[in-house]
Amino acid sequence: YNTISTILLYAITFFSAPLFSRLLGTTNYGVVQVYNTWVSFFVVILGLYTRGTLSIAKVNMDEDEFLRYQSSVLFLSVCAFAIIFIVMLLFHPVIVSFFGLDLRYLVLMLLQSFGTYCVYFINTKFTYEMKAQYNLIISVTLAIVNFGLSYLLIKVLNAEHLYSGRIFGMAFPYIVAGIIILVYIFKQGKTFYNKKFWKFCLPLCLPLIFHGISGIICASSDRVMIQKMIGLTAVGIYSLAYNFANIMDSIWGALHNSWDPFFFEFVKNDQLQELKRRSCNYIRLYSCLAIGFILLTPEVFKIFASSEYQEGAKIIPIVVLSCYAIFVYSFAANYEFYYKRTDIVAIGSAIAGVINIGLNYIFIGWLGYFGAAVATVLSNVLLAVLHILFAKKLVKDKWTYDIKMFLPAAIGLSLAILLYYNCYSI
């Protein structure tokens, strides 16, 4: 179901992204991408990242207690959202000036962010309850409504405010979905404040906020910095190519959601040889997909993007490499989550995030938006290395991975990237 969901979502993306990029033009498309960057940031902040504790709670609680836990920690997220929302409204003149958005877009951004957080929360819940079919239904429904509403609003609005149609079209489905999910979770768990659950959750989720922010910095600060250092047109070109290459990140997400519950079971039951065998299969699968994607990209991107975006194709192999670094990092991060060391997760991610900002400043000034892609891959490689070092020290003899497992992939990716830049006209 996770795989089917990914295929359907990217079938929708494959047809919708070229359409919206053409309808909006590079500048309006750039505005939408900067807005999306801030939404991603607030998704992490507003919900306190309580969803990041669900995998740990599932291992430590029975079914009924787990349902009550979900309800209680989601109410904790609601409380955090309400406080931040009120504070931002009170200080909106300063905040509006900082974001460069008027008040209605600020309110919409906050509501969409929390609605998106609720969707992520229930996706995580269904993943660890082995109910991936529901994630399929939710994801595809939201994607279709998002596409249809955005297209309709863009056609209705005048040419000066095309980005508004896309923003409103993205926001409303997530706001409505968020309300429905809140009702569903609270009805299931029938629990709001529970001292035991909040005491279990807060020490685990608070470090994950810094982890999440660092992840957003590594993935999205490049767009904000390109906007400031180059301009919105460059953001539009960069973002379309980046989003195209990010198909590999979504494929990893689908595989990761399928893999995680089994990983926790293998470690819990001390089935280390079985974990290593399955991991090798998983590594081979994702590596072949990444290499194949790089080799197929040049011809497909010509269909995907109009001529004004074609120069962005030069960043695609670098972004795929960046996605692969996140794939490698996830093996170490799973151990850190299993052992409840979310503080280690946060420290490694924060270091990579800070370095990413510095690298973006250096490389964007030197290489333009191509430098942003280089900065992102270097940051993600550092992220993977740091977490592997931390995890190996944490788990000691239970560490099942070695460099030989990834060596064929490293050779294959290197050859694919060399072929891409030497044999195709970019």
Side-chain angles (χ1 to χ4, degrees):
Y1 282 115
N2 282 320
T3 305
I4 293 168
S5 175
T6 300
I7 291 168
L8 290 175
L9 285 174
Y10 268 90
I12 296 168
T13 300
F14 187 82
F15 290 107
S16 65
L19 176 66
F20 288 129
S21 63
R22 287 172 170 82
L23 286 173
L24 295 172
T26 53
T27 301
N28 279 298
Y29 192 77
V31 172
V32 172
Q33 293 307 309
V34 172
Y35 171 86
N36 282 337
T37 297
W38 288 116
V39 168
S40 299
F41 176 80
F42 280 107
V43 166
V44 176
I45 299 294
L46 295 179
L48 292 184
Y49 220 104
T50 56
R51 72 182 184 92
T53 67
L54 295 184
S55 60
I56 302 169
K58 183 71 170 71
V59 174
N60 291 275
M61 298 177 185
D62 61 36
E63 186 176 343
D64 180 64
E65 191 178 24
F66 186 48
L67 290 176
R68 290 187 290 113
Y69 177 82
Q70 294 167 27
S71 178
S72 182
V73 299
L74 186 57
F75 183 68
L76 174 60
S77 295
V78 171
C79 294
F81 164 69
I83 292 168
I84 296 170
F85 187 80
I86 291 167
V87 169
M88 293 194 75
L89 288 184
L90 289 174
F91 294 95
H92 78 266
V94 176
I95 294 167
V96 163
S97 175
F98 175 78
F99 286 114
L101 301 168
D102 62 37
L103 183 58
R104 62 176 176 166
Y105 288 112
L106 176 64
V107 171
L108 198 66
M109 180 174 68
L110 294 173
L111 292 174
Q112 180 186 344
S113 298
F114 191 69
T116 304
Y117 179 77
C118 292
V119 172
Y120 289 170
F121 188 96
I122 203 167
N123 286 159
T124 306
K125 163 190 167 67
F126 287 144
T127 293
Y128 289 98
E129 290 177 350
M130 302 288 193
K131 297 175 181 177
Q133 67 271 24
Y134 298 131
N135 284 341
L136 168 64
I137 294 167
I138 292 168
S139 300
V140 173
T141 302
L142 280 171
I144 292 170
V145 174
N146 182 322
F147 171 79
L149 188 57
S150 295
Y151 182 78
L152 178 64
L153 291 173
I154 289 170
K155 284 295 185 182
V156 169
L157 293 172
N158 64 60
E160 292 182 9
H161 300 93
L162 290 178
Y163 62 84
S164 298
R166 181 62 172 139
I167 288 172
F168 278 92
M170 292 187 299
F172 287 145
Y174 279 99
I175 293 169
V176 173
I179 294 168
I180 294 169
I181 290 164
L182 286 173
V183 172
Y184 175 76
I185 297 290
F186 293 151
K187 188 176 179 180
Q188 265 201 331
K190 299 181 177 65
T191 306
F192 295 97
Y193 172 72
N194 183 298
K195 184 179 179 180
K196 174 188 171 184
F197 294 152
W198 286 24
K199 193 174 179 181
F200 179 90
C201 178
L202 284 168
L204 296 172
C205 74
L206 291 178
L208 290 177
I209 295 174
F210 297 99
H211 165 65
I213 292 171
S214 301
I216 297 301
I217 289 171
C218 286
S220 303
S221 64
D222 45 10
R223 292 165 177 79
V224 176
M225 295 182 74
I226 290 169
Q227 178 198 8
K228 301 294 184 184
M229 297 174 70
I230 305 175
L232 283 169
T233 298
V235 176
I237 295 169
Y238 176 85
S239 296
L240 187 66
Y242 193 101
N243 292 343
F244 177 83
N246 230 28
I247 290 174
M248 287 310 305
D249 186 62
S250 293
I251 290 172
W252 165 74
L255 295 172
H256 184 66
N257 286 341
S258 303
W259 169 254
D260 266 13
F262 294 104
F263 172 88
F264 281 96
E265 285 300 314
F266 288 143
V267 177
K268 182 180 178 181
N269 298 322
D270 208 30
Q271 296 175 280
L272 301 184
Q273 287 303 313
E274 184 64 10
L275 173 61
K276 186 170 185 176
R277 186 180 72 81
R278 297 290 185 94
S279 296
C280 286
N281 292 338
Y282 181 25
I283 292 165
R284 279 193 289 267
L285 172 62
Y286 189 76
S287 301
C288 289
L289 290 172
I291 292 165
F293 184 85
I294 291 171
L295 296 176
L296 288 172
T297 286
E299 299 307 321
V300 177
F301 192 70
K302 287 176 183 176
I303 302 169
F304 182 83
S306 59
S307 58
E308 59 187 332
Y309 293 93
Q310 284 298 320
E311 67 175 87
K314 63 187 178 183
I315 73 165
I316 290 174
I318 307 301
V319 178
V320 173
L321 195 59
S322 182
C323 294
Y324 197 87
I326 293 295
F327 166 71
V328 174
Y329 139 83
S330 69
F331 289 100
N334 277 348
Y335 276 111
E336 293 164 349
F337 276 101
Y338 180 84
Y339 287 97
K340 303 180 186 178
R341 293 303 306 270
T342 54
D343 55 332
I344 293 178
V345 175
I347 291 168
S349 301
I351 292 170
V354 170
I355 289 174
N356 178 257
I357 293 174
L359 290 175
N360 269 323
Y361 182 78
I362 294 167
F363 282 99
I364 292 172
W366 178 26
L367 300 171
Y369 64 76
F370 183 80
V374 173
T376 301
V377 74
L378 291 176
S379 302
N380 286 342
V381 169
L382 175 65
L383 178 75
V385 171
L386 285 173
H387 281 283
I388 288 169
L389 293 174
F390 290 158
K392 285 180 74 172
K393 188 174 181 180
L394 176 66
V395 304
K396 297 175 182 172
D397 58 329
K398 288 193 175 184
W399 179 257
T400 57
Y401 303 101
D402 58 64
I403 196 168
K404 292 177 184 177
M405 296 168 70
F406 295 95
L407 191 58
I411 295 169
L413 283 167
S414 300
L415 291 173
I417 291 171
L418 285 171
L419 281 169
Y420 185 96
Y421 286 118
N422 285 289
C423 298
Y424 294 106
S425 299
I426 306 301

